[in-house]
Amino acid sequence: YNDTASRVVPALDGGSVGAGVSTLVPELDSVYTADHPKEVTLPVDGETRHYSVRVSQVEDQRSTQGHVILLRDITERKEREQELEAARQELEASNERLEEFASVVSHDLRSPLNVAQLGLELAREDRDDEQLATVAQAHDRMERLIDDLLDLARQGAELDDVESVSVESVGRL
């Protein structure tokens, strides 16, 4: 063992040579059967550290003479993974709130739009002129905007049907 190992495993000293590692560090007991690196969490200097563990056998021609245990400190990586997971969960919750908001707004916009469309249909029974056609176009545009709002909130999709609208013409409606 080296100086760093004695800091990570304070029980290592000259008298521990030949002792089973699993008696000194019980967390390492399961790593001997692993074909791939395992991860363990150990208390070091009063804080929790995470390590990737790789075990290699030391053999002579007849038998295994011992093991080389390599611990690689991955604490910073684990902390970043935890931060990323927390951010992912926060984003997921935010997206759910956005979808709920969009659904409520959609419902609240569709109700008066439906009333306006019915009023337009009744007005068109008496007359069908350019002003009513403009109102119908505005209703269609509002319907598309509501659908786009829902698509954007539910899928994060980009709105592909973008058109410029004159504020003056909308203001006249």
Side-chain angles (χ1 to χ4, degrees), residues 15-169:
S16 62
V17 173
V21 173
S22 61
T23 57
L24 300 172
V25 186
E27 296 87 350
L28 296 178
D29 193 34
S30 65
V31 300
Y32 291 105
T33 59
D35 292 336
H36 52 82
K38 290 195 101 168
E39 295 179 3
V40 296
T41 302
L42 301 171
V44 177
D45 296 335
E47 63 182 67
T48 300
R49 305 297 296 180
H50 302 278
Y51 295 91
S52 171
V53 182
R54 191 177 293 266
V55 177
S56 301
Q57 291 184 351
V58 177
E59 301 175 347
D60 64 12
Q61 295 175 348
R62 291 173 269 196
S63 64
T64 299
Q65 297 297 308
H67 295 87
V68 174
I69 301 172
L70 177 64
L71 298 176
R72 187 170 59 99
D73 192 332
I74 58 170
T75 304
E76 289 180 20
R77 185 188 86 197
K78 292 298 265 187
E79 289 170 353
R80 283 193 309 270
E81 287 173 358
Q82 291 169 350
E83 289 170 4
L84 284 171
E85 178 60 21
R88 186 193 64 75
Q89 289 176 355
E90 185 178 319
L91 180 60
E92 218 171 72
S94 178
N95 285 343
E96 287 174 13
R97 287 191 304 272
L98 177 62
E99 184 175 343
E100 184 178 329
F101 170 77
S103 293
V104 169
V105 169
S106 170
H107 180 267
D108 289 350
L109 290 174
R110 285 189 199 277
S111 294
L113 180 58
N114 288 338
V115 170
Q117 287 171 329
L118 288 172
L120 177 62
E121 285 179 31
L122 290 174
R124 282 187 147 173
E125 287 177 5
D126 293 337
R127 72 180 214 276
D128 194 11
D129 58 24
E130 189 176 318
Q131 286 180 330
L132 293 179
T134 302
V135 172
Q137 288 174 351
H139 288 171
D140 291 342
R141 176 73 178 132
M142 289 171 61
E143 191 74 43
R144 286 193 310 274
L145 286 170
I146 293 168
D147 290 340
D148 288 347
L149 172 68
L150 284 173
D151 285 345
L152 183 62
R154 289 188 178 133
Q155 301 168 7
E158 292 185 23
L159 301 179
D160 53 345
D161 183 22
V162 179
E163 67 182 69
S164 298
V165 177
S166 164
V167 174
E168 182 182 344
S169 66

